[in-house]
Amino acid sequence: MTPDIRVKICGLGTDATLEAALEAGADWIGLVHFAKSPRHLDLARAGALSRRAKGRAGRVLLLVDPDDALVAAAVERVEPDLIQLHGRESPERVAAIRHLAGRPVWKALGVAARADLGAVAAYRRVADRLLLDAKAPPGADLPGGNGRAFDWDILRGADLPEGTMLSGGLTPETVAEAVRRTGLSAVDVSSGVEVRPGEKDPARIRAFLAALRPGP
């Protein structure tokens, strides 16, 4: 597998798992600030982990439908390199948050059917990167991180922006096949490297990176 595939390990919450992701070569580490998530961090804890990762990987702060006050507080206290929006933010809201934050913004889009890719055209104009995640099941509390994959063949022949990221149910066992089938050059994992919701496994983090970057 080519080392050109870029990897984000999301939902980190401890020094040990953060170090595992950094030492394994993650390109980005993700910190979640969303109270309903088992991966939720308050801004103080997210800021502490962000400082540990500074200069070692891109620091992504995940927010869900944040208001202006939260965006401002998050930027000040966490100092992320970029923000990932994982709620129902409109294209206009994505653009506004990008301006307010003064840094790149990624937007996650839920995918369950080919028709869901219709949102790509509107968001590609305002987001610095799009992340395609499995659409949450009806009634789910979480917009992502549900351990579900979507049918990757939905993406066959789709007009997607350069750098589009694949997410949703990826694991160390499936990620190489996912990259082969979709042709995407960036992947995001959260639940796929956990032993239970919110508890990352350093060994699975290392295995995920090794599946894409095998040694000699």
Side-chain angles (χ1 to χ4, degrees), residues 70-147:
L70 176 55
V71 172
V75 168
E76 179 181 359
R77 298 182 64 184
V78 182
E79 299 183 343
D81 295 306
L82 57 97
I83 290 173
Q84 178 179 321
L85 298 173
H86 222 297
R88 297 183 178 181
E89 302 89 1
S90 67
E92 293 76 19
R93 183 60 181 154
V94 172
I97 291 172
R98 189 178 188 276
H99 177 74
L100 176 62
R103 60 206 63 206
V105 169
W106 295 357
K107 178 67 180 95
L109 301 177
V111 177
R114 179 81 177 192
D116 293 319
L117 298 179
V120 167
Y123 285 97
R124 71 190 304 166
R125 298 181 292 103
V126 294
D128 295 274
R129 187 184 296 264
L130 296 182
L131 185 150
L132 302 181
D133 194 5
K135 184 176 284 188
D141 286 333
L142 304 180
N146 292 293

Side-chain angles (χ1 to χ4, degrees), residues 55-81:
R56 303 170 69 190
R59 300 165 297 164
V60 182
L61 179 64
L62 187 153
L63 301 173
V64 178
D65 297 310
D67 60 20
D68 287 0
L70 176 55
V71 172
V75 168
E76 179 181 359
R77 298 182 64 184
V78 182
E79 299 183 343
D81 295 306

Side-chain angles (χ1 to χ4, degrees), residues 9-14 16-21 24 172-173 189-209:
I9 307 293
C10 196
L12 294 161
T14 68
T17 55
L18 176 69
E19 288 300 321
E173 296 77 23
V189 65
S190 184
S191 58
V193 292
E194 292 179 342
V195 292
R196 58 186 59 85
E199 186 177 337
K200 293 290 186 289
D201 179 356
R204 286 189 67 76
I205 290 172
R206 290 189 289 268
F208 191 90
L209 271 295

